[in-house]
Amino acid sequence: MQHRDHLAWPFFAPAHADLAARLDDWAAEHVAHVHTGDADADCRALVRILGAHGWLSHAVAGTVHGGAAETIDTRTICLLRETLARHNGLADFAFAMQGLGSGAISLDGSPEQRARYLPRVACGEAIAAFALSEPDSGSDVAAMQCGAVLDGDAYVLNGEKTWISNGGIADFYVVFARTGEAAGARGITAFVVDAETPGLTIAERIDVIAPHPLARLQFSDCRIPVSQRLGEAGGGFKVAMRTLDVFRTSVAAAALGFARRALQESLERATTRRMFGGVLADFQLTQAKLADMAMQVDSAALLTYRAAWQRDQGRNVTSEAAMAKYVATEGAQRVIDAAVQLWGGMGVVQEVPVERLYREIRALRIYEGASEVQQLIIARELLKSYAAISSATNA
């Protein structure tokens, strides 16, 4: 399947297909080769490029604040992430984090907060970050320990956050902290914290297998004005979940982009690699592998864009987004592993495309809800639906 064929599916409007095709051509020229080995510098450069050419406008809401539309369109976000991921994994990361890092401001920010931050995000002037995870609070957000205490006209923030993407290069962080209005998730509040705020330090830079800006943040008596609170006190968990709801399906789209690139590289290798008087593609074992890869790609694409379409229709997509993320990320891992195998020894040479993809895909099976968490979500929603149907039938 050609990488643009799915744009004719009924999930999309003509504007979606036009946007994706334009980005595909643009990305091949502008971002495909931005790869110097300095992740911080590359990420900054990519944010500026994406902002200058208008692509970041799709990651924020409100035309008055530089957004492409009044609300964030999930299908557009997914198409952009899929396309960027196919060309350059760090370009996808740069785009996604501008959206995720500012998403809570788009959704729940005050007029003043939106006016202050969103235009700078949309043009690539300011780099955003989303600070939710902690050393003992990843999938279990309610176990959060980072705390904020109201003191006059400010909150005093203490604690730490870790695995924070764009940590160390961000201009501001959307930070979630326990404020104690109630037990568990109902006692968490969201804040916008500027990077230069006294008491906020970068405690550690974290190096991972696919380099990108990542850090552990430390807050020590960090005073945050009440005006920097996002939404109501104690409403932070809902802010976080609403933000993740917008962008979770796009993680599946990024995995899909990686898988499409791996399949493309595999087809090129299989049809040009001379072997035993023919080419690699002549062998039935190779053909079977390519067929499996194509089926993984199309399965992921169908689930991803079903979830994106449903969300844009205003429907709840808790289960559909979880299915898309699970199938797309797990499937992409299998597709890329198969691609490395088809490339043989060259497949594990540093910076060969399939080797880079092998490192890029692994984290997607963990962040924004690990695969095991997605399975739990799917099962929970399935059982809830079954119980409701059974109750109605027996009434």
Side-chain angles (χ1 to χ4, degrees), residues 1 263 288-300 335:
M1 178 176 184
L263 178 55
K289 194 178 292 289
L290 292 170
D292 286 341
M293 296 164 78
M295 288 187 285
Q296 293 282 352
V297 168
D298 271 17
S299 298
V335 169

Side-chain angles (χ1 to χ4, degrees), residues 227-369:
S227 61
Q228 291 293 91
R229 188 181 69 203
L230 276 170
E232 298 297 320
F237 181 79
K238 290 182 179 179
V239 172
M241 293 305 105
R242 288 183 67 208
T243 305
L244 291 170
D245 184 48
V246 173
F247 292 96
R248 180 170 287 120
T249 303
S250 76
V251 180
L256 176 60
F258 291 145
R260 286 197 196 280
R261 178 62 183 272
L263 178 55
Q264 174 188 331
E265 295 289 338
S266 297
L267 288 167
E268 180 179 341
R269 179 70 169 177
T271 55
T272 58
R273 176 73 165 99
R274 304 298 303 178
M275 185 173 289
F276 300 113
V279 294
L280 189 58
D282 293 333
F283 297 96
Q284 289 182 336
L285 283 173
T286 302
Q287 294 169 18
K289 194 178 292 289
L290 292 170
D292 286 341
M293 296 164 78
M295 288 187 285
Q296 293 282 352
V297 168
D298 271 17
S299 298
L302 286 162
L303 285 173
T304 298
Y305 290 112
R306 177 189 71 164
W309 175 80
Q310 286 183 305
R311 189 181 185 284
D312 286 340
Q313 307 312 303
R315 296 174 59 177
N316 180 285
V317 294
T318 300
S319 180
E320 290 84 353
M323 288 183 182
K325 184 180 186 299
Y326 181 90
V327 170
T329 56
E330 293 290 328
Q333 182 79 70
R334 290 191 288 272
V335 169
I336 293 167
D337 185 74
V340 170
Q341 197 72 12
L342 284 171
W343 270 74
M346 284 296 296
V348 293
V349 173
Q350 196 168 18
E351 297 306 325
V352 167
V354 293
E355 184 272 341
R356 195 159 60 240
L357 289 166
Y358 195 86
R359 290 184 284 111
E360 292 277 8
I361 189 56
R362 190 59 185 86
L364 271 67
R365 294 168 57 202
I366 298 172
Y367 76 70
E368 290 194 42

Side-chain angles (χ1 to χ4, degrees), residues 3-4 6-7 14-33 46 49-59 74-88 91-96 253-254 257 305:
H3 64 256
R4 293 185 185 178
H6 64 299
L7 298 176
H16 290 115
D18 176 68
L19 182 74
R22 286 191 292 111
L23 176 61
D24 192 19
D25 293 336
W26 176 88
E29 179 181 353
H30 290 90
V31 304
H33 306 294
L46 287 164
I49 293 168
L50 290 165
H53 288 264
W55 300 111
L56 292 179
S57 67
H58 298 283
T74 312
R75 286 168 293 175
T76 296
I77 293 292
C78 288
L79 285 169
L80 266 63
R81 288 203 66 181
E82 178 194 334
T83 304
L84 289 170
R86 190 160 42 77
H87 287 281
N88 183 332
D92 163 64
F93 167 85
F95 173 83
Y305 290 112

Side-chain angles (χ1 to χ4, degrees), residues 364-384:
L364 271 67
R365 294 168 57 202
I366 298 172
Y367 76 70
E368 290 194 42
S371 292
E372 292 77 9
V373 173
Q374 305 310 315
Q375 289 176 302
L376 293 175
I377 291 171
I378 295 164
R380 181 191 66 198
E381 293 298 309
L382 183 64
L383 292 168
K384 185 191 302 182

Side-chain angles (χ1 to χ4, degrees), residues 15-147:
H16 290 115
D18 176 68
L19 182 74
R22 286 191 292 111
L23 176 61
D24 192 19
D25 293 336
W26 176 88
E29 179 181 353
H30 290 90
V31 304
H33 306 294
V34 178
H35 187 71
T36 67
D38 183 337
D40 286 4
D42 287 349
C43 194
R44 289 190 182 99
L46 287 164
V47 168
R48 288 194 297 270
I49 293 168
L50 290 165
H53 288 264
W55 300 111
L56 292 179
S57 67
H58 298 283
V60 302
T63 55
V64 70
H65 301 310
E70 294 309 311
T71 59
I72 295 174
D73 182 82
T74 312
R75 286 168 293 175
T76 296
I77 293 292
C78 288
L79 285 169
L80 266 63
R81 288 203 66 181
E82 178 194 334
T83 304
L84 289 170
R86 190 160 42 77
H87 287 281
N88 183 332
L90 195 58
D92 163 64
F93 167 85
F95 173 83
M97 285 312 305
Q98 288 296 91
L100 182 62
S102 67
I105 302 174
S106 285
L107 293 170
D108 290 282
S110 67
E112 294 77 16
Q113 290 166 343
R114 290 172 180 169
R116 179 180 177 187
Y117 293 101
L118 295 183
R120 294 191 295 140
V121 170
C123 73
E125 178 186 322
I127 295 177
F130 185 80
L132 181 65
S133 296
E134 298 181 7
D136 296 316
S137 172
S139 298
D140 183 9
V141 177
M144 183 179 299
Q145 296 298 310
C146 184

